[in-house]
Amino acid sequence: MSRSARPLRARIHLDAIRHNYRRAQSLAPHSRALAVVKADAYGHGAVAVARALTGEADGFAVACVEEALELRESGIRGPMLLLEGVFSPDEIALVDRAGLAMVVHCREQLDWVLAARPSRRLDCWIKLDTGMHRLGFCPSEFAEVNARLAACPHVGERVAMTHFARADEPDHPYTSVQIDAFERALNGARIGRSLANSAAVLAWPQTHGDWTRPGIMLYGVSPFAGTGSNANLEAGELRPAMTLESALIAIRDLKAGEPIGYGGRFVCERPTRIGVAAIGYADGYPRQARDGTPIAVGGRPTRLIGRVSMDLITLDLTGLETARPGDPVELWGRTVPAAAVAEASDTIAYQLFTAIGRRVSRRYEEA
Ligand SMILES: *Cc1c(COP(=O)(O)O)cnc(C)c1O
């Protein structure tokens, strides 16, 4: 798709990703940080992101073995954790060969590890369910699971981990409940600890432990709700890592009372100049985006008007009289925070990034 003349691209700012990783490290200076690059590095391109962090990141975390092998085959070395572990016992041979670490979150995985005959020791991260109620052993099972893995000659490093349900709500007590449950389960055990996602790196220093697991913050988005302004990013000293950009391909002047697009959702209240840009929901721009969703033309802020189509969107050019076909349109990036687009679309930036379609070519840039 890179030869496409359609003016749509995702510009990935590799320097921003490095900056954000360093920011995560400096917030948790006594911890090592696994850069979370699952889901193709949240749509930014896992191989390019991992390469940009080579020599910088203490390790990487991915969801599954396919994602890890893509990185290994591209020459990415160092610690690499499978956040969901393996889905069948045969996968342990791949884990062994690729030198991966794996989460062990259930009895089946525990049995597979214990029964394996790997060529080297397997690093196992014991996942505890301290309140997310999704994956993990009950806190009461920790001592037994840990003891069995510790006694197994082909198990190497062990780390105890958990995941927070509400760390993005800094005033909510639930994270403290989870921290307490985790520490009670470990009961002073001498084992590495890993609790913190981005929100906890930023807001819960007591969770930093031995390994943090920053994801969304690497991509320059604050995990906290209501952070759709770049002021909040500056407070977190994060830099947007993606600029999703297209161009105006048509401009028209509509009369008062004329509707725009499917369903006529937006009706002009006065004579209105509108622009049409080459991006739509098939490219990952959210169809749920409301009238008023922020957008920028030639670096100047304006708003989406009319329903998002498969390949096109319409936007308000009021006050942007000099706009011309071909002018760049920023869907999100340094002028338009991805979190603001997400808020106006009832979703989160994580989903926007991971929904970017195959028609969008990526362009990697250094500062
Ligand atoms: C995705 C994921 C993370 C990263 O979360 P962010 O909110 O993106 O920082 C950390 N830990 C686990 C277990 C995850 O699945």
PDB file of all heavy atoms in Angstrom, residues 171 198 212 265:
ATOM      1  N   ASP A 171      -7.891   8.456  42.263  1.00  0.00           N
ATOM      2  CA  ASP A 171      -8.527   8.659  43.573  1.00  0.00           C
ATOM      3  C   ASP A 171      -9.354   7.462  44.012  1.00  0.00           C
ATOM      4  O   ASP A 171      -9.988   7.500  45.061  1.00  0.00           O
ATOM      5  CB  ASP A 171      -9.422   9.912  43.526  1.00  0.00           C
ATOM      6  CG  ASP A 171      -8.605  11.142  43.171  1.00  0.00           C
ATOM      7  OD1 ASP A 171      -7.464  11.252  43.674  1.00  0.00           O
ATOM      8  OD2 ASP A 171      -9.093  11.967  42.369  1.00  0.00           O
ATOM      9  N   SER A 198       0.778   1.591  32.558  1.00  0.00           N
ATOM     10  CA  SER A 198       1.117   3.016  32.435  1.00  0.00           C
ATOM     11  C   SER A 198       0.500   3.848  33.549  1.00  0.00           C
ATOM     12  O   SER A 198       1.170   4.719  34.128  1.00  0.00           O
ATOM     13  CB  SER A 198       0.625   3.578  31.100  1.00  0.00           C
ATOM     14  OG  SER A 198       1.269   2.954  30.032  1.00  0.00           O
ATOM     15  N   THR A 212       8.213  -2.703  35.605  1.00  0.00           N
ATOM     16  CA  THR A 212       6.973  -2.044  35.197  1.00  0.00           C
ATOM     17  C   THR A 212       6.607  -2.522  33.785  1.00  0.00           C
ATOM     18  O   THR A 212       7.440  -3.104  33.078  1.00  0.00           O
ATOM     19  CB  THR A 212       7.119  -0.513  35.208  1.00  0.00           C
ATOM     20  OG1 THR A 212       8.151  -0.151  34.290  1.00  0.00           O
ATOM     21  CG2 THR A 212       7.459  -0.016  36.616  1.00  0.00           C
ATOM     22  N   ARG A 265     -27.017  13.909   9.135  1.00  0.00           N
ATOM     23  CA  ARG A 265     -26.900  14.156  10.581  1.00  0.00           C
ATOM     24  C   ARG A 265     -26.609  15.614  10.891  1.00  0.00           C
ATOM     25  O   ARG A 265     -27.135  16.168  11.848  1.00  0.00           O
ATOM     26  CB  ARG A 265     -25.796  13.273  11.173  1.00  0.00           C
ATOM     27  CG  ARG A 265     -25.634  13.481  12.675  1.00  0.00           C
ATOM     28  CD  ARG A 265     -24.585  12.578  13.277  1.00  0.00           C
ATOM     29  NE  ARG A 265     -23.236  13.036  12.999  1.00  0.00           N
ATOM     30  CZ  ARG A 265     -22.135  12.396  13.432  1.00  0.00           C
ATOM     31  NH1 ARG A 265     -22.260  11.293  14.144  1.00  0.00           N
ATOM     32  NH2 ARG A 265     -20.942  12.853  13.132  1.00  0.00           N
TER      33      ARG A 265
END
